[in-house]
Amino acid sequence: MNSDFLSTAKPISRLIEELHKLPGVGPKTAQRLAYHLLQAPPEKSRDLAEAILGIKENLRLCSVCLNITDSDPCGICADETRDHMKICVVEEPIDILPLERTRKYRGLYHVLHGVISPGDGIKPEDLRIRELLDRLGSNSVTEVILATNPNVEGEATSMYIQRLVTPLGIRVTRLARGLPFGGDLEYADDVTLSRALEGRQEM
Amino acid sequence: MTSRAYQTEAIIIKRQKFGEADRLVTLFTSDFGKVRAIAKGAMRPKSKLGGNVELLTHSQLMLARGRNLDIITQAQAIDNFLPIRDSLELMSGGFYLTELVDAFTEENVEDRELFDLFLNTLKEMAASSDMERALRYFELRLLNHMGYRPQLQKCANCSRQLEPGVNYFSPHQGGALCRECGYPDMSARTISVNALKVLRLWLQCDFTTACRVKLTGNLSREIKNLMRENIRYLLEKQLKSIEWMDQLNSEQKNHA
Ligand SMILES: [Zn+2]
Ligand SMILES: [Zn+2]
């Protein structure tokens, strides 16, 4: 592959190399994308470059739910039509996307930014659990839906949060076990996820 | 590429994200010791591997030898120790066991005896509520099996017979010390006669017999600290999962 790069003009080979580092982009795809960009009008490339730079410059965490956002509070937290009495707890910002796609859930979110993983030294205090408890203490939340991934770490994290939230008199539910154990929310399809939302269970 | 298929039982002791939706899984197998293998697509919900290669699962596996890492081609869970998964405390103990086994073993060294000990300990944990005892018994038998059997009959330094009363224990001397050798040794801690007796017995009995020994809170704590120091000395580090286990423990006590 390196010899391929050498036979290509340097700026192109650099672009191919960078594209190849992206998840899901193999060497062939990287080449195709690079040559596509080469032939596209200059403003197209500029738009793309600006969009890429934009995610670093303009994004931050929502001060309420800790989702990644360009406005604070984020679009979901600021939306008056959503149900502010429900909070769905997820591991990572990316986990919100599949849940939103189902259009079944109209409450708010809370992003933990990780999961309890003792073997990696990740403990509860490394997650944004305190922020969740602060939200629960100051608002009229009636239900917390735990939507961590259906694997050992996700289950442990949910059980831990449940132990902290239940004494506050708030209903705690867990996304239904329809999600196969060992899987990852990020990859769940809409149907499975919709069913899991509808069938969420008391913890 | 010549790929040979093989079959084995294993307990999953570690797994990491690998590429898009694959997992790099560390197995402790019954026939080949510790093996690292790829579980392709294991993170996708429809994957047939998924739950069968989850942490702390005892599975029957089919693997194919790869150039660098073996590939898990089929997996069928034999036991996923649900009682452990349903309890935070047991789960923290389970995490600790996996880290312990990982830390004490090298890859591709067959060790059927350790596999059996590990499997039995998980079964005991799932079946009884006495997790601490199961962990201590496992730690002691693990040390013994890996060639670190602590000297508990006579002084590890001067070989004198240990007197009843206060003696000492030193991880770097490899066992108990008499009063004369232990007192000036800054690395040694005291060990009670009862702790000595329990450890001596546990080194030579099965877990069922080990359960008959009555342990007071103090004695249980003494043995726990002793084993922990010994393990930290041997590994030259504290295992990461200990902190969360302790944290849960103290939170539980505060609740009670
Ligand atoms: Zn928000
Ligand atoms: Zn001595």
Side-chain angles (χ1 to χ4, degrees):
Chain A
M1 225 191 63
N2 271 331
S3 58
D4 277 1
F5 285 147
L6 289 176
S7 59
T8 319
K10 226 181 182 167
I12 300 175
S13 57
R14 184 182 162 203
L15 179 58
I16 295 174
E17 234 178 70
E18 290 303 323
L19 289 168
H20 184 35
K21 288 178 191 164
L22 298 173
V25 179
K28 283 273 180 297
T29 310
Q31 276 174 29
R32 222 170 351 180
L33 289 172
Y35 281 98
H36 171 80
L37 289 168
L38 185 67
Q39 283 155 5
E43 60 271 21
K44 290 265 182 197
S45 316
R46 200 172 309 119
D47 287 350
L48 178 64
E50 277 170 9
I52 293 170
L53 288 174
I55 57 174
K56 286 290 173 217
E57 282 160 7
N58 302 322
L59 292 187
R60 57 204 143 126
L61 299 185
C62 169
S63 60
V64 181
C65 71
L66 304 162
N67 187 16
I68 294 170
T69 177
D70 58 351
S71 61
D72 191 19
C74 72
I76 294 174
C77 289
D79 187 343
E80 291 293 332
T81 71
R82 296 190 74 119
D83 183 351
H84 284 235
M85 283 151 87
K86 287 192 176 71
I87 295 181
C88 179
V89 179
V90 294
E91 290 178 18
E92 299 291 346
I94 198 169
D95 296 329
I96 291 179
L97 297 175
L99 286 162
E100 282 296 285
R101 259 201 326 261
T102 65
R103 297 177 186 280
K104 283 272 156 58
Y105 180 67
R106 297 290 299 157
L108 306 183
Y109 291 95
H110 188 86
V111 185
L112 294 172
H113 290 274
V115 68
I116 297 174
S117 181
D120 303 315
I122 302 173
K123 303 181 298 296
E125 57 267 35
D126 300 319
L127 312 177
R128 302 301 192 99
I129 294 177
R130 176 114 317 269
E131 286 88 338
L132 173 66
L133 296 177
D134 287 347
R135 280 176 84 181
L136 299 179
S138 58
N139 287 302
S140 49
V141 176
T142 55
E143 183 179 354
V144 169
I145 302 155
L146 299 168
T148 52
N149 285 323
N151 55 39
V152 170
E153 289 85 355
E155 295 283 323
T157 307
S158 275
M159 278 195 279
Y160 186 78
I161 294 174
Q162 182 236 347
R163 190 176 277 185
L164 297 174
V165 174
T166 305
L168 305 176
I170 296 168
R171 184 177 177 218
V172 181
T173 54
R174 175 89 176 103
L175 227 53
R177 306 282 165 107
L179 293 168
F181 203 71
D184 202 294
L185 210 59
E186 193 188 329
Y187 297 101
D189 62 275
D190 295 4
V191 180
T192 313
L193 210 47
S194 298
R195 262 194 233 120
L197 265 169
E198 284 158 6
R200 61 184 186 265
Q201 296 151 344
E202 303 287 337
M203 275 189 83
Chain B
M1 192 177 88
T2 54
S3 77
R4 264 190 311 129
Y6 66 99
Q7 211 176 342
T8 186
E9 275 178 44
I11 298 161
I12 287 74
I13 59 170
K14 196 174 176 177
R15 72 230 187 303
Q16 295 147 272
K17 230 180 147 156
F18 193 78
E20 274 286 270
D22 299 346
R23 282 206 139 134
L24 173 58
V25 184
T26 309
L27 310 162
F28 198 78
T29 68
S30 55
D31 304 292
F32 309 94
K34 186 163 80 181
V35 172
R36 297 203 306 158
I38 300 293
K40 288 226 158 101
M43 287 168 73
R44 299 185 198 278
K46 294 221 170 82
S47 159
K48 288 197 184 75
L49 295 176
N52 299 308
V53 293
E54 210 14 59
L55 197 73
L56 283 173
T57 306
H58 174 207
S59 291
Q60 180 71 44
L61 302 174
M62 187 80 99
L63 294 105
R65 294 215 193 278
R67 247 172 302 180
N68 302 313
L69 289 158
D70 295 354
I71 314 273
I72 301 173
T73 54
Q74 283 178 50
Q76 178 63 55
I78 299 169
D79 193 350
N80 31 41
F81 309 108
L82 282 182
I84 295 182
R85 286 194 184 159
D86 286 342
S87 147
L88 268 181
E89 279 69 30
L90 290 177
M91 193 105 94
S92 74
F95 278 118
Y96 171 66
L97 278 180
T98 59
E99 204 186 353
L100 198 57
V101 169
D102 194 23
F104 269 98
T105 53
E106 301 289 334
E107 276 178 53
N108 305 312
V109 180
E110 192 217 315
D111 196 338
R112 180 77 207 204
E113 214 182 308
L114 180 54
F115 177 83
D116 289 338
L117 175 66
F118 186 19
L119 184 59
N120 280 335
T121 305
L122 289 173
K123 283 182 181 162
E124 297 295 350
M125 269 171 59
S128 85
S129 53
D130 201 347
M131 172 177 96
E132 292 298 327
R133 187 186 298 254
L135 292 181
R136 296 298 87 74
Y137 182 79
F138 179 83
E139 289 167 342
L140 185 66
R141 302 302 292 228
L142 173 75
L143 294 189
N144 179 47
H145 177 68
M146 301 312 284
Y148 304 112
R149 182 194 184 101
Q151 168 60 268
L152 300 169
Q153 303 298 336
K154 47 193 182 179
C155 175
N157 188 46
C158 72
S159 294
R160 208 174 322 171
Q161 211 59 36
L162 296 172
E163 310 263 331
V166 173
N167 287 290
Y168 289 80
F169 186 88
S170 157
H172 85 262
Q173 296 266 30
L177 298 176
C178 71
R179 203 178 306 207
E180 286 71 43
C181 296
Y183 183 71
D185 188 336
M186 297 308 285
S187 76
R189 57 152 59 235
T190 57
I191 181 171
S192 67
V193 177
N194 282 338
L196 265 178
K197 280 186 187 157
V198 171
L199 294 177
R200 280 177 193 153
L201 173 71
W202 284 7
L203 273 173
Q204 53 199 1
C205 73
D206 59 14
F207 187 71
T208 315
T209 314
C211 285
R212 292 204 195 105
V213 181
K214 217 171 128 40
L215 293 178
T216 62
N218 276 339
L219 183 54
S220 173
R221 224 166 300 123
E222 181 186 359
I223 294 175
K224 176 178 177 169
N225 291 333
L226 210 128
M227 294 307 297
R228 190 174 283 188
E229 254 178 51
N230 206 349
I231 287 168
R232 187 173 49 196
Y233 171 78
L234 292 170
L235 294 175
E236 297 177 345
K237 66 175 179 191
Q238 167 106 305
L239 293 180
K240 289 186 186 133
S241 50
I242 282 182
E243 213 176 318
W244 189 50
M245 199 163 48
D246 284 354
Q247 195 182 330
L248 277 178
N249 217 323
S250 68
E251 282 172 8
Q252 274 301 79
K253 275 202 197 94
N254 290 343
H255 270 277

